Amino acid sequence: MVVGAFPMAKLLYLGIRQVSKPLANRIKEAARRSEFFKTYVCLPPAQLYHWVEMRTKMRIMGFRGTAIKPLNEEAAAELGAELLGEATIFIVGGGCLVLEYWRHQAQQRHKEEEQRAAWDAMQDEVGRLALAVEALQTQVQQAVAPSALEELRAQMQEVRAQLYVREGGARSTPKAVSASEKQAAAEA
């Protein structure tokens, strides 16, 4: 997903940069026309930029302690307007990136919440199914118990018949039947 989104992000950034260029050009024109804007907004950053740039170049070339002359007012106003235009483009592009990041984070949170909700729903379903399985197992055990009881009764009757045969029919009638055996016979 990130691979497919990357070219779109580049395209979006390029489009916003192209749209913000006319805005930057208008700011440059206003900086050139307005004396207040030129004096207090454009000149100080331009002079600072010129001083840092020249100081760095001089140190790279090995000149230390050299005094740096400030730019003339017209060149400084032009440089300040250019810096202001580029700063505008950079701020608009950076704002777009921040907004895209926030949007992406919101989507991630939403996706995680959906996954958490689905997980909770599955856990609830598993719990419900476990209860259903327990109920079915109880029903099966209850259904199996009578058949086991029937098997025991049949075995008891076989044992009685074998005892009757072993005694050789000495008795014509079997012994008195106990109360539990009467109840078992009645249930059968």
Side-chain angles (χ1 to χ4, degrees), residues 37-124:
F37 202 69
K38 185 188 314 183
T39 305
Y40 294 107
V41 177
C42 291
L43 290 181
Q47 292 294 356
L48 177 66
Y49 178 80
H50 172 69
W51 183 80
V52 169
E53 180 185 33
M54 292 307 292
R55 184 82 152 180
T56 305
K57 284 180 181 178
M58 293 298 222
R59 285 193 181 232
I60 289 172
M61 290 189 290
F63 299 113
R64 299 199 187 272
T66 307
I68 298 171
K69 293 182 183 178
L71 285 174
N72 64 13
E73 192 172 311
E74 190 173 315
E78 187 67 30
L79 180 61
E82 286 294 321
L83 286 174
L84 189 60
E86 290 299 317
T88 302
I89 292 171
F90 179 76
I91 289 170
V92 168
C96 288
L97 290 177
V98 167
L99 289 174
E100 179 63 24
Y101 176 76
W102 283 345
R103 186 186 67 80
H104 180 69
Q105 289 298 322
Q107 284 179 342
Q108 281 297 110
R109 278 192 303 274
H110 181 68
K111 185 177 178 180
E112 287 172 2
E113 288 171 2
E114 285 179 352
Q115 287 176 343
R116 193 174 303 119
W119 178 256
D120 291 342
M122 283 194 296
Q123 283 182 328
D124 291 343

